[in-house]
């Protein structure tokens, strides 16, 4: 059986650490760190994510400035809201909850967020800093993956790492982070011929596609570290009940891998935690620390 990489427990540990630090900073500075989350419409999944983020803020003593807009909100209204948050001294991090309704230009809105308040690490300037190896805010989910590897002393240096998925949210930034830690990185995707032949070479295999059970046991090198970023809801046709599964066939791969993240309870909790950590770091940098 593979070692389980418990992202839920690690996320709680990091949040507890922030919870301990924040009161001292509030006593010195007169205000807590502040995170603003903008949500448009009533997508149930997005609403659940936003609630989780707002609760997490409350638990650690971080101020939450949630702004919820109706589905027919205009680009101009959201643009104006972001401009106001950029100027708000109480706000250290800004997040636009994706996906947005189709009539909105999400890229333009993300670009408008001030890079120093870009809690999700998706502004071109922060992605450019990652590419150049410079200090800056890192994308939350990839940063969470790297924290898991670090917490379990799973060194990347000298290892073959394969990232399946090339999104700007996870695949591309994570490949750069693994490269920065001296891994030899291969990116695979939907047009990669013989995907299994590529993944079987991986000492560290990351699945970030959004396709249930894409990675089967025959695609995994024995003893490999398997990081499952996928979060997919599947419904039992007989009972009608849904459950979350990853991109990895966990039930079988767990018997071959050396270490593996479960779904749920693996990478997911780390994403929200890194969002909080990014906001706290922005708060500290604003104060010159």
């Amino acid at each position: 059986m593979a070692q389980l990489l418990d992202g839920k427990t690690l996320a709680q540990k990091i949040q507890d650490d922030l919870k301990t630090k924040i009161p001292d900073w509030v006593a010195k500075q007169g205000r807590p760190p502040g995170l603003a989350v903008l949500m448009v419409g009533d997508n149930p999944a997005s609403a659940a994510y936003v609630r989780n983020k707002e609760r997490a803020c409350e638990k650690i003593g971080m101020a939450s400035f949630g702004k919820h807009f109706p589905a027919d909100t205009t680009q101009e209204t959201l643009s104006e809201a972001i401009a106001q948050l950029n100027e708000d001294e109480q706000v250290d991090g800004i997040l636009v909850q994706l996906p947005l309704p189709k009539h909105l230009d999400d890229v333009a809105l993300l670009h408008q967020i001030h890079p120093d308040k870009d809690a999700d690490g998706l502004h071109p300037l922060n992605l450019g800093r990652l590419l150049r190896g410079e200090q800056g805010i890192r994308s939350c989910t990839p940063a969470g993956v790297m924290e898991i590897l670090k917490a379990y002393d799973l060194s990347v240096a000298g290892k073959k790492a394969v990232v399946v998925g090339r999104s700007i949210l996870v695949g591309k930034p994570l490949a750069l982070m693994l490269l920065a830690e001296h891994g030899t990185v291969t990116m695979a995707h939907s047009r990669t011929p013989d995907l299994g032949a590529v993944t079987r070479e991986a000492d560290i295999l990351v699945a970030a596609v959004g396709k249930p059970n894409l990675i089967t046991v025959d695609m995994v090198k024995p003893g490999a570290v398997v990081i499952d970023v996928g979060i997919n809801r599947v419904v039992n046709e007989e009972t009608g009940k849904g459950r979350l599964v990853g991109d990895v066939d966990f039930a079988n791969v767990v018997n071959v891998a050396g270490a593996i993240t479960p779904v749920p309870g693996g990478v997911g909790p780390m994403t929200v935690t890194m969002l909080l950590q990014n906001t706290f770091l922005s708060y500290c940098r604003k104060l010159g620390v």
Side-chain angles (χ1 to χ4, degrees):
M1 288 285 288
Q3 177 186 20
L4 286 185
L5 305 177
D6 185 353
K8 185 176 181 180
T9 298
L10 176 59
Q12 189 60 58
K13 181 180 178 182
I14 295 171
Q15 289 188 31
D16 288 344
D17 183 53
L18 290 172
K19 186 177 181 180
T20 300
K21 290 178 179 177
I22 286 174
D24 292 337
W25 282 94
V26 173
K28 294 174 187 175
Q29 304 300 328
R31 73 169 184 90
L35 172 65
V37 179
L38 280 66
M39 191 183 101
V40 183
D42 53 5
N43 180 299
S46 291
Y49 288 140
V50 170
R51 280 195 303 272
N52 287 341
K53 290 163 184 171
E54 291 174 343
R55 287 174 188 154
C57 284
E58 183 179 352
K59 286 180 181 178
I60 68 170
M62 184 175 287
S64 176
F65 301 94
K67 289 182 176 289
H68 299 178
F69 298 88
D72 60 355
T73 298
T74 64
Q75 185 86 10
E76 291 72 22
T77 298
L78 287 175
S79 181
E80 182 178 331
I82 292 173
Q84 291 174 354
L85 292 170
N86 281 338
E87 298 299 322
D88 190 335
E89 291 297 320
Q90 304 297 310
V91 174
D92 304 286
I94 302 171
L95 169 73
V96 176
Q97 181 66 45
L98 302 176
L100 292 174
K102 292 183 178 180
H103 71 280
L104 296 170
D105 183 347
D106 55 352
V107 174
L109 293 170
L110 293 174
H111 286 194
Q112 191 185 345
I113 297 171
H114 192 288
D116 292 341
K117 295 190 177 187
D118 171 33
D120 226 6
L122 296 177
H123 191 280
L125 183 59
N126 287 319
L127 291 171
R129 286 169 173 161
L130 171 61
L131 179 63
R132 291 178 57 86
E134 298 173 355
Q135 187 178 24
I137 300 171
R138 301 298 190 236
S139 303
C140 295
T141 300
V145 170
M146 299 306 293
E147 286 288 334
I148 290 173
L149 294 174
K150 179 181 176 182
Y152 283 90
D153 294 321
L154 297 169
S155 175
V156 177
K159 303 291 177 59
K160 291 183 179 180
V162 174
V163 179
V164 184
R166 52 181 169 176
S167 74
I168 198 66
L169 291 173
V170 182
K172 289 177 181 176
L174 181 55
L176 289 168
M177 292 179 194
L178 291 165
L179 190 62
E181 292 297 320
H182 312 297
T184 299
V185 183
T186 299
M187 294 196 70
H189 44 79
S190 59
R191 297 191 182 184
T192 299
D194 197 353
L195 180 60
V198 177
T199 60
R200 279 190 293 272
E201 293 290 317
D203 301 307
I204 299 172
L205 175 59
V206 181
V209 176
K211 185 175 181 181
N213 299 324
L214 171 69
I215 304 298
T216 53
V217 68
D218 60 300
M219 299 170 71
V220 178
K221 178 181 179 179
V225 175
V226 179
I227 305 293
D228 193 350
V229 181
I231 300 179
N232 311 287
R233 183 175 176 82
V234 296
V235 178
N236 185 305
E237 293 183 0
E238 295 182 1
T239 65
K241 293 183 178 180
R243 63 188 180 94
L244 294 180
V245 301
D247 289 354
V248 176
D249 178 10
F250 181 89
N252 291 305
V253 173
V254 72
N255 297 310
V256 172
I260 189 170
T261 57
V263 176
V267 176
M270 289 298 296
T271 298
V272 173
T273 297
M274 299 315 294
L275 177 71
L276 300 177
Q277 184 156 289
N278 280 348
T279 302
F280 180 71
L281 291 174
S282 293
Y283 169 80
C284 293
R285 288 192 192 108
K286 185 186 291 184
L287 299 172
V289 178

